[in-house]
Structures are given as structure tokens and as C-alpha cells.
Amino acid sequence: MNRKVIQRKLTYLIFPIVIPHLYFYLTSRKKSTIDLDLKAWNYQYEIANSNIYNLIYLLIWHKEFRNLFYYRLKPWGELLNLILPKLSSLFLNAKYIGPGFFIQHGDNSRINGEYIGANCWVNQDVAIAFTNKMDRPTLMDNVKVYVGAKVLGKITIGENSIIGANAVIVKNVPPNCTVVGVYPAYIVKQDGKKVRIHL
């Protein structure tokens, strides 16, 4: 029996622990946003066609999802965290995070953006961070930020752009770009064409 099958069987046994979470989900004004988060996570993990089951499964088996769920349900999220703790090394402090946000392995990531658009994706060891007390990044829709990347200061990452692993981005990135490199970072793909443009 593979791990996923075992987890599904155990989910039915463990689910009473998330009954308070279900209550806050069903009564929340953010329910439609959470539904879009569930859709994004289900797309990656192929869990089930039921939002309720997906929510139960993700809360039990994916601490990163708990962080996002508790972010959506502020201030009640801190209370729910006492029942099922979130991932302690993942910090979601962005002013706004759009629906469909996906976190693949969120260890040691800090998301402090001014604005994070819809359907964005982050990996572990990612920093979307301030360079001073005021200046923090904006990520438009459908941006992916891969392992170890740093997006710093008052900059904008255009929609559909990809920030490569370990890249350090301190300047604006146009839409539909793939960016790599530490310093200076450079665009290797723009609008589907290979390029080499230093930022």
C-alpha cells in the first residue's frame, strides 16, 4: 500500500481534530478565496473533487497549507494553530495574498510582499522581503518563485514570470519572463523567446 493510500485511510480516522477548522471555513467571508486555494493545491496533489475532503486532507498532512489557511482566517487562525500547529519556519506577512496561492515545501520562507497576486507559487528558502521599513515587493498574477530565491525591495514582478532557484532580484521584472542569477540577475526567456537581458 503506497503512502497516499495510507494517508487517505488515516484521514477518515483523524478528521475530528479539524472540526473547528471546518466551522470557520464554512462561516468565513474568505470561503471563496480558500476554495480557490484548495483548487490550486488539489491541482498539484490530485487529492479529490470535494473541497471539504481536500481541506481536511491538507490541514492534516500539509503544514504549509495550515499557514495559508490561518492567514486567511485572521485572527481566528491563531486559535486554530493551538489545535493543529502551522509550519513554524514559514512566515506569511504579506499585506495581501491573492487566491490560489500554492506553497511547495515552505520551510524557511518569509513572504512579506506588499501585494501577492492570484495563483502565485513559492518554494522553500524563499524571501519576498523588505529592504527598509517601507519597501517591499509586489508580485502580479501567476508568478513562481523557486527554491532559495530572494525578491527584495520596492519592485514589481510582472505576471506569469518565473524567478529561478537562488536568484536575487532587486529590480523590476517585466511580464512573461524567466529570471536567473545572483547579481546581476538576468532574463533568460521573455514572451517565450530565449534572451539574455541583464536587470
Side-chain angles (χ1 to χ4, degrees):
M1 204 179 308
N2 69 32
R3 180 183 170 194
K4 199 174 227 183
V5 172
I6 292 169
Q7 284 181 333
R8 287 188 177 181
K9 288 180 180 294
L10 288 173
T11 298
Y12 288 106
L13 296 174
I14 302 170
F15 90 90
I17 198 169
V18 299
I19 288 173
H21 298 68
L22 291 173
Y23 169 79
F24 284 105
Y25 161 70
L26 292 170
T27 59
S28 173
R29 289 180 295 167
K30 296 285 182 79
K31 183 179 180 297
S32 60
T33 299
I34 296 168
D35 286 343
L36 292 170
D37 293 335
L38 290 168
K39 182 178 179 182
W41 288 67
N42 188 42
Y43 178 78
Q44 297 301 323
Y45 291 119
E46 298 179 350
I47 306 164
N49 291 325
S50 162
N51 276 352
I52 296 292
Y53 179 83
N54 289 344
L55 178 63
I56 293 167
Y57 182 91
L58 288 166
L59 285 169
I60 291 171
W61 300 110
H62 291 275
K63 287 185 177 182
E64 297 91 343
F65 182 80
R66 292 177 211 163
N67 289 59
L68 177 60
F69 186 70
Y70 299 161
Y71 172 89
R72 299 290 188 212
L73 294 180
K74 290 188 272 191
W76 303 112
E78 292 308 311
L79 177 64
L80 296 172
N81 185 54
L82 299 173
I83 302 169
L84 268 180
K86 60 188 177 183
L87 182 63
S88 62
S89 65
L90 170 61
F91 301 91
L92 302 180
N93 297 317
K95 197 179 281 187
Y96 172 84
I97 297 177
F101 189 61
F102 179 70
I103 307 159
Q104 186 179 50
H105 311 301
D107 298 282
N108 306 312
S109 289
R110 187 174 291 271
I111 313 304
N112 279 322
E114 182 72 18
Y115 173 94
I116 309 293
N119 303 310
C120 288
W121 165 317
V122 297
N123 277 96
Q124 69 268 36
D125 299 311
V126 163
I128 299 171
F130 291 92
T131 50
N132 57 45
K133 289 184 178 179
M134 300 293 294
D135 295 339
R136 55 183 176 172
T138 292
L139 276 60
M140 303 308 288
D141 295 348
N142 306 307
V143 169
K144 291 186 176 182
V145 184
Y146 284 108
V147 179
K150 311 291 183 265
V151 181
L152 307 172
K154 192 175 183 179
I155 62 172
T156 298
I157 309 300
E159 60 269 9
N160 308 310
S161 287
I162 297 171
I163 308 303
N166 297 314
V168 178
I169 311 299
V170 295
K171 294 185 178 178
N172 292 335
V173 173
N176 308 308
C177 289
T178 300
V179 185
V180 299
V182 177
Y183 189 81
Y186 55 96
I187 300 169
V188 294
K189 188 180 280 188
Q190 185 170 26
D191 296 319
K193 297 177 183 176
K194 291 183 179 179
V195 297
R196 189 178 178 95
I197 302 171
H198 288 276
L199 294 175

